[in-house]
Each structure stands twice: as structure tokens, then as C-alpha cells.
Amino acid sequence: MIRHRPYGSGHPYTDDTDQRSPIHPLAGQEVRLGVRTSPDIAEVFCELEQTGSDGEVAASRTRMERVATASRGQIIDGGHLAGAQARLARAASGWQTTVSGLRAGTEYRYRFTGRSEAGGTQTTRWFTFQPADWSPAPGALRIEGHDRVLPGSVEVLRAGGSPIRVRFALPLAQIERVTGFGERYDALDHTGTKLDAIVFEQYKSQGQHRRTYMPMPFAHVVGGAGWGFHVETGRRTWFDIGASAPDRLIIEAEVDEAKDPESVLLTVRFFDGPPAKVLDQFLEEVGRPKELPEWVFKLWASGNEWNTQAEVMRQMDLHRDSDIPVGVVVVEAWSDESTFTAFRDAQYAPTEDGSPHRLADFTFPADGAWPDPKAMVDELRSRDVKVVLWQIPLLKMRPHPTAQARFDADAAVREGRVILEHGPDNALRPYRNRGWWFPLALMPDLSDEEAARWWTEKRRYLVEEVGIDGFKTDGGEHAWGRDVEYLNGQRGDEANNVFPVAYAKAYGDLLESAGKAPVTFSRAGFTGSQAHGAFWAGDENSTWDAFKWSLYAGLSAASSGILYWGWDFAGFSGDIPTSELYLRSAEAAAFVPIMQYHSEFNHHRKPLRDRTPWNIQERTADERVIPAFRELAHLRERLIPYLTRQARECIRQGTALMKPLFFDHPADPGVWERPLQWMLGEDLLVSPVTEEGATVWTTYLPEGEWVDVWTGQVHQGKQDVATEAPLGRIPVFAAEKSWPEMKAVFGTR
């Protein structure tokens, strides 16, 4: 075997052994050409032909060097729940060579020949590229709104006449700060940095790596009169935010290579005004959130170890018996881990044509994991607890599927329901997941109306008959690579980013068709996600750094129009948090739109890693945990009418529910000094304690009069205020005008 893939696997941040790097090499630079082979290949040669603009051909043959193999960004398992084993470091060899001094106007044609130890040879097909270079292109942009593009800054990167990228610059004043860009974990103000926008599953430490599940090519420029912009594309974009030159913001975007290079290649929309006005205009363009029922503001509880009906009910009983009100239980490990439509241990006759089942088709053994799921849901509903089930947008193919999983996969391929990819011979075939989680799975094209209907109909019995109220739409990041092709003909570079938008929409549509609210709980998203359900910040460890990264994620997501947002407070993965971190994180979670805890599967090993308050109390031997958590949960219950009313008003006005302080005070530099503060609705200023060991906390109060909700003390704005912050009590201040209402909520004397 000898393989070369010019575009690689599509991993956005690392190169594969067998790809061309860079994919579009620039004139005057060098390019690395690589292959992977089977172990029997003893040596590999690269044949290279260079055809100049004068038609002259220069040919060469180079013996390639052996290198370590790498693929898809890592060589160990990075998944969870399914215990995915990527096994990317198979018995294969890597080889590479480098071509330097690339010349503009020259076509480079190359192929590879491998010689086995037995003397046989294998040869690839020919591949071609032309070095790219930048040139002025003033007509490449379509501007909507007030044109802020710097004259003479628009350029197009072309290779052989085909446009590849557009680059342009915007002015950046010294007093301006740039924020937004979707969900970002490392900072609120991105001035002086570089970042990109591409959907990516960064398993933990998102803030450290500066990668995100939910990017958006949208930003606020705060300061002065205020403005914002949206690069209207689903393709990858890059932003140099005053890093190379402090007085300019440089934007680069991939474009359609099939377009006429002299035509308009990209639309940029500008918005004028303060952040609230900018966001309202942006939401008018991309879609406003839909109002979700008030139960989404109750406590959400889950754990991947809760994988039986008995355990789910035991945990719900513990909430009840501990007087900790819970409104939603998210059941992740419920399915057969094969179809993701049937409960584990359920008995039924598979449908060979892949058609959906009804509840009556299933028998649930009394000694099985889920002896009566409908009775469980009915019982929880009688306790005012809603049930949300976990989902993944994949048809699992490892291990080799059998029974219903096999029939579903066959039907999906036969009926044309799956995303496709271009193989080594450029022929279309079903796309196989390139990520490390559920590797090689098929992927339904949920952006196609008929394919989405085919997929969601298999889940209809769960909604209409079992009675579940929502879906955790996990894992929307699995479409990698520009060689992917969707059923509408769009290629991966155009459509991969927007797949998670369609994914959440498909499940929301199912719920609405059954007369229920479109409650989806997604990790991945892009521009347009604002209109589809709720979101959480993804997988993270139980550390103080992760706590702060998650809060940055929520504030930047809110700045970009995500209304219903939460995170796995106190962390999801690894060892449990300290009791201090758990309660400090729970304090903050009580004042974000979605309050929820969750924990990773740990194979039921002892001691347990559940993030329940009773497990944290038992593991840490801190008797304060349950009483403090109980108080926070009851406070959250009292906040629900306020949150419901404020969310409705946010949707009407096009603003954020978890609102960074710069929204209301864009000219106040003090709000940037303590970026991890926010307004929850119009009346509550929240100042989470994010440092270990702190018992006194300093809050910046902007202009106005503010009342400490715990003491009733009034403070004037435009100053720092230090207050006592004992464990279990987060600094919160109410706008003075709202104090009569808030006094009752907080029980302040």
C-alpha cells in the first residue's frame, strides 16, 4: 500500500504524514510531500515534473526519507463514553520529501513509487498544484452596511487563476477592544491576538489551546461609537486582531475555488452602534433564539455512570430526599451503544429496511438495564422532572455492526442518506468519520431535509410514546475535510462548520412536530446556532483554570447571541473537584442560564467520580457541601420567574441573558479590568469567586446604585467594592430599582 492525500484528513491544526503541506504552497516557499505505506515497502521515490509558463518541462526523481507516521492530530484515544480506540499508529511507515524555491506560474506534477522488499513496485496517480500568490482585488468583497475596509487592503490568493482566499484589513483604534467570535475560552478581549473560526472538538483545555466547538466569524468592536462585523461564510476564517499591526484588524477567509476570480468572492456585513444594537442587528440577520419553557432554568443533573433505570431513580430519589430540587435529568448512557435509538437490553425484531420502531415493538426484560423506561419517565414527570436523552449523529461501524445497526447502515447508504467523500480515485463513497471518537462511523447528512427526517423518525417513539422532553445533541464536530461532499453538492470546506446547526435544528423540528418545545443541548455550533436550543461548553477537567475558561466561554457565547448556555460546573472529567471548587463553581452556575452538573464514565470504579453533592461531600469529608448546595438550588428555584421573564425580553430586544458588563457600559474601561463579571438579565450583577482560598472578593460596580443582595447595603457605582464571600455565597448586586423584587428572592432582611 502507498497512499498520498493532498488535503490530508482535514484536521485543522496538524498535518498528516501523507498529505501535501501546505495544501496551497506559496510562490517562493517550499512544500512537503508525504506518503504512508504498508510495512513491506522498503523505499519510496517521488517523481516531479515542473512545467514553466514557457512550456518547458524539468523532471526529477528523488528518494524520500522515512519519517514517523501521524494522522488526525493524535495517536491515542481522545474520546469518552464509547471508549473509542482510534489506533492510528498502525503498522505503517511514513515517507516525505521537500520541494523548495517554488515558482509562480509553474505547474508542479508529481507521483510516488514504492518498492517492496520482494522487488515489486506500486505507483500512485499523478497529482498537481500551482504555487499561489497574493494580488490586489478591490472588487472581491461585497460590503453590507457602513464600509470600514481600509482602501487598498483587499487581496486574493490565487493558484493557477483559481481564488483560494481573500484578505482585507479594518481600522482599529487605540481605545477599541474586540470581542465575540462565538464561544471562546481564553479571554473576553482578543485585541493583540490571532485566532481562527472552525468547528473543532478540543477534548479538554480549550482555553489553553484556544480552540472551540462553537466559533463564529462575528465580533464586536467596543469603544468610541462602537461597531461590529460578520463575515458571511461557512468556511474557515482567520483574524489578526492588532497582533501584527496595532492599528488594524486583518481578516482572511477561504473562498469558493470554482468562482471566477474577478467576481465578488465574499460578503462582509458591518453593524454600527453599541454592543446591544450590534447584537440585535446580527440576530436579525442570522436568526433569534426561540423561547424555551421555564423548566430549562431548573437544575440539570446527569452522570455517565447513571446507565440503568435503577440508578437514575436512585439519584433522583437522593435529590428528593436531600431537599435539592432538580428539574431535568440528562440520561447519556441509555442506549444499546449501537443504534442509539433502542434502550440497552431491549428485545425487538430488527427492521431490515431500516424503518423506525414504535414502543410496542420493544420488550423490556425485568432484569434488564431499563425494565420500563416509560414508567420511569412517567414517574419523573409526576415529580416535575423532565428527561433528556443523549444522541450522536453517527452510524457506528466499529466493531462491525450487526442486526439493526447493520440494517440502518445499509439503508442509509442504499437510500442516499449519508455524507460522502471523494476517495483516492476521486470517486464518491460514504464518508467515514476521521475523528478519534467513533472512528470510521458513517454520518447522516442532517442538513438534507429528507435525510434528517429519515434519521429523526427513528427517535419519534421516544418523544411521542416514552415521553422524553429533549435531546442532548452531542458530537456535531465529526465532519472533517474539504473532500467531503453533502447531498446538496456542497463540499466540506463550505458546509462542515454549519453541520452542527442543522443537527440541532433536525432534533428541534422533531420535538416541535410532536407538540413539544425544541429543547436541544448542543456542544458544537456556528453562525445560526442562536435559533436552535441550548448549549454547554463541552468536556473539561475539575480545575480552577477550567472554571475560568468556562466562564469566558459563556460570556463570549452570550456576546455572540447564544441565549441558553451552561457548562459542566466544577468540571466533568478526571478526579473530583475540591469541595471549595465545587461550591464556588455551583455558586456561579446558579447565575447562568443553564445550571447543570455532569461527570464522565469511569467504568464504575471506586471511589465514584459523580459530581453529585452527596458524592462530593462524602469524598471530601466536608459537611458544608450538601447544605450549601441545597441553598443554591432553592435560590435557583426562586430565580426562575425572573429568568423566564428576562429571557423573553432578551429575545424581543435581541440581547444577552448572561451579559458581559461592556454591553451596558461600553465606554467604561473599568468593566474590562474584571472581565469575569456579568449581568444576569437587566437587574443582577454577578461577580463569581474564581480564586482558591478567597473569602473576601472585589467587584467592580459600573455607573448606578447597587444593592448587595446578601446585606442590603447600597453602593455607588464607578468603583471597586470588597465584600465578604464565605463559601456558598457569591457576590451579587441588584440594580437599586429592582431591589423591592429581589429582596424577596434573596430573603434579605
Side-chain angles (χ1 to χ4, degrees):
M1 179 272 289
I2 179 169
R3 185 182 71 185
H4 173 69
R5 297 178 300 172
Y7 300 109
S9 66
H11 191 294
Y13 298 109
T14 64
D15 293 334
D16 298 329
T17 304
D18 58 354
Q19 76 172 82
R20 183 170 68 224
S21 180
I23 294 169
H24 294 295
L26 299 180
Q29 297 185 352
E30 66 179 27
V31 63
R32 179 183 64 80
L33 305 175
V35 297
R36 287 182 67 181
T37 69
S38 50
D40 61 300
I41 300 297
E43 57 182 349
V44 180
F45 294 90
C46 175
E47 299 175 64
L48 179 67
E49 295 181 356
Q50 305 177 42
T51 304
S53 56
D54 57 3
E56 291 192 14
V57 179
S60 62
R61 188 170 186 265
T62 303
R63 190 178 189 276
M64 301 177 71
E65 297 181 359
R66 188 187 292 269
V67 295
T69 58
S71 181
R72 291 178 274 177
Q74 61 183 54
I75 59 174
I76 59 173
D77 172 31
H80 62 274
L81 183 66
Q85 296 298 319
R87 299 188 182 94
L88 301 178
R90 292 191 180 93
S93 299
W95 307 80
Q96 74 175 31
T97 188
T98 301
V99 182
S100 304
L102 301 178
R103 298 190 301 273
T106 298
E107 181 179 87
Y108 291 78
R109 184 169 178 257
Y110 63 95
R111 67 178 180 179
F112 306 95
T113 298
R115 184 183 62 81
S116 69
E117 295 177 352
T121 62
Q122 298 179 44
T123 302
T124 67
R125 64 182 176 90
W126 287 97
F127 303 90
T128 62
F129 70 88
Q130 292 190 35
D133 56 355
W134 291 96
S135 59
L141 294 183
R142 174 183 291 111
I143 304 299
E144 299 289 346
H146 179 193
D147 187 352
R148 296 179 180 270
V149 177
L150 290 175
S153 69
V154 184
E155 298 178 294
V156 172
L157 183 66
R158 295 183 175 91
S162 296
I164 299 169
R165 296 183 185 178
V166 170
R167 181 170 66 190
F168 59 98
L170 308 176
L172 196 58
Q174 186 174 1
I175 64 170
E176 291 178 326
R177 299 171 184 263
V178 187
T179 185
F181 299 107
E183 189 176 49
R184 300 289 170 170
Y185 299 76
D186 60 311
L188 197 59
D189 176 13
H190 296 286
T191 309
T193 69
K194 297 180 181 180
L195 51 80
D196 69 337
I198 188 168
V199 173
F200 184 72
E201 183 194 354
Q202 176 61 50
Y203 179 62
K204 302 193 292 190
S205 300
Q206 297 90 358
Q208 176 184 342
H209 294 286
R210 306 187 73 234
R211 300 169 182 174
T212 178
Y213 305 96
M214 187 164 53
M216 295 182 199
F218 161 78
H220 298 270
V221 183
V222 185
W227 54 284
F229 64 85
H230 175 215
V231 183
E232 295 187 354
T233 182
R235 293 183 169 88
R236 190 176 185 180
T237 47
W238 294 263
F239 303 90
D240 180 329
I241 310 157
S244 299
D247 62 346
R248 59 179 52 200
L249 196 164
I250 303 168
I251 300 174
E252 195 170 313
E254 290 182 344
V255 296
D256 186 353
E257 295 177 31
K259 277 197 169 185
D260 177 352
E262 304 305 321
S263 66
V264 172
L265 301 176
L266 187 69
T267 297
V268 183
R269 187 177 299 271
F270 292 98
F271 313 104
D272 291 316
K277 184 177 179 182
V278 166
L279 183 59
D280 184 42
Q281 294 172 82
F282 176 56
L283 292 175
E284 188 65 26
E285 176 196 354
V286 302
R288 298 179 183 275
K290 293 182 178 180
E291 184 177 351
L292 299 182
E294 69 172 17
W295 59 260
V296 303
F297 293 123
K298 293 175 176 286
L299 174 66
W300 296 44
S302 66
N304 277 343
E305 308 265 272
W306 305 0
N307 60 353
T308 66
Q309 182 171 331
E311 182 61 16
V312 168
M313 294 308 300
R314 186 179 80 87
Q315 294 292 346
M316 293 301 99
D317 289 347
L318 283 168
H319 280 87
R320 179 191 59 194
D321 298 343
S322 301
D323 189 25
I324 293 176
V326 61
V328 182
V329 58
V330 181
V331 186
E332 290 218 358
W334 66 278
S335 80
D336 56 10
E337 278 293 308
S338 178
T339 66
F340 306 106
T341 60
F343 282 87
R344 182 159 55 93
D345 294 339
Q347 298 171 355
Y348 61 100
T351 57
E352 295 190 15
D353 62 354
S355 56
H357 287 92
R358 304 300 294 175
L359 181 59
D361 297 327
F362 296 95
T363 299
F364 301 99
D367 59 350
W370 307 93
D372 195 340
K374 177 171 171 50
M376 178 190 73
V377 172
D378 288 345
E379 168 62 20
L380 291 174
R381 178 177 293 156
S382 74
R383 303 186 192 186
D384 202 23
V385 178
K386 306 296 184 181
V387 179
V388 170
L389 293 185
W390 181 88
Q391 287 287 279
I392 191 79
L394 297 168
L395 288 154
K396 189 176 176 182
M397 300 297 285
R398 290 177 61 184
H400 191 73
T402 59
Q404 191 62 60
R406 176 76 266 168
F407 296 142
D408 286 348
D410 289 345
V413 173
R414 181 176 64 248
E415 298 177 21
R417 311 297 189 191
V418 296
I419 296 171
L420 305 172
E421 66 180 351
H422 290 260
D425 59 356
N426 210 35
L428 282 173
R429 64 187 185 187
Y431 170 75
R432 305 296 291 271
N433 176 32
R434 298 170 190 173
W436 43 87
W437 190 25
F438 299 108
L440 302 180
L442 300 174
M443 193 166 176
D445 185 354
L446 299 182
S447 66
D448 178 81
E449 184 176 342
E450 280 302 306
R453 181 201 58 77
W454 177 85
W455 181 261
T456 57
E457 282 300 308
K458 296 176 178 297
R459 285 110 177 124
R460 182 171 293 279
Y461 86 95
L462 296 168
V463 180
E464 294 186 342
E465 298 183 87
V466 178
I468 68 102
D469 290 284
F471 291 99
K472 187 171 185 177
T473 38
D474 198 359
E477 317 90 354
H478 294 295
W480 284 17
R482 57 181 297 136
D483 53 338
V484 167
E485 185 167 310
Y486 289 76
L487 297 180
N488 64 0
Q490 288 185 320
R491 299 293 285 265
D493 57 345
E494 182 179 7
N496 290 346
N497 273 344
V498 297
F499 175 85
V501 183
Y503 173 23
K505 179 182 182 301
Y507 279 80
D509 289 347
L510 168 64
L511 289 159
E512 288 187 307
S513 73
K516 296 193 174 185
V519 179
T520 55
F521 199 37
S522 305
R523 181 175 69 178
F526 195 70
T527 311
S529 288
Q530 293 86 348
H532 302 293
F535 297 83
W536 93 101
D539 300 336
E540 193 49 276
N541 286 319
S542 294
T543 67
W544 288 91
D545 280 342
F547 177 22
K548 287 176 276 195
W549 290 335
S550 297
L551 294 180
Y552 277 125
L555 291 167
S556 58
S559 302
S560 304
I562 298 297
L563 184 69
Y564 298 98
W565 177 92
W567 89 104
D568 299 334
F569 74 72
F572 151 87
S573 182
D575 202 6
I576 63 166
T578 63
S579 58
E580 181 186 5
L581 174 57
Y582 184 80
L583 287 176
R584 288 302 192 196
S585 187
E587 292 168 14
F591 292 91
V592 305
I594 303 290
M595 182 185 186
Q596 66 110 20
Y597 70 77
H598 182 43
S599 55
E600 191 172 38
F601 188 65
N602 193 40
H603 303 280
H604 299 288
R605 291 185 290 245
K606 299 293 181 68
L608 293 176
R609 289 182 172 180
D610 277 9
R611 268 57 173 177
T612 56
W614 32 91
N615 189 54
I616 300 300
Q617 179 163 301
E618 179 181 348
R619 290 282 310 276
T620 63
D622 189 338
E623 297 297 324
R624 297 174 296 177
V625 173
I626 291 177
F629 191 89
R630 180 186 299 117
E631 288 299 318
L632 290 169
H634 280 278
L635 172 58
R636 178 68 177 203
E637 288 283 306
R638 296 195 299 274
L639 279 169
I640 288 174
Y642 171 77
L643 292 170
T644 303
R645 185 173 69 252
Q646 290 291 318
R648 185 177 302 121
E649 191 63 18
C650 287
I651 294 170
R652 188 184 69 82
Q653 294 185 5
T655 191
L657 181 57
M658 179 185 180
K659 185 166 49 176
L661 296 191
F662 69 76
F663 260 75
D664 293 333
H665 307 278
D668 185 350
V671 303
W672 298 98
E673 298 301 316
R674 302 185 187 280
L676 293 181
Q677 299 182 179
W678 63 88
M679 293 297 299
L680 184 64
E682 289 297 310
D683 299 321
L684 293 178
L685 190 156
V686 184
S687 180
V689 179
T690 56
E691 298 296 335
E692 188 173 14
T695 57
V696 175
W697 195 249
T698 299
T699 300
Y700 177 73
L701 299 176
E703 185 176 13
E705 287 191 334
W706 301 92
V707 182
D708 184 328
V709 301
W710 306 113
T711 67
Q713 184 176 353
V714 179
H715 299 274
Q716 295 300 315
K718 299 286 285 186
Q719 65 169 328
D720 286 335
V721 173
T723 56
E724 296 292 326
L727 192 60
R729 198 173 84 180
I730 181 175
V732 177
F733 298 82
E736 195 276 336
K737 63 179 175 57
S738 71
W739 183 233
E741 175 192 359
M742 290 301 154
K743 187 175 182 179
V745 171
F746 289 91
T748 309
R749 294 180 180 177

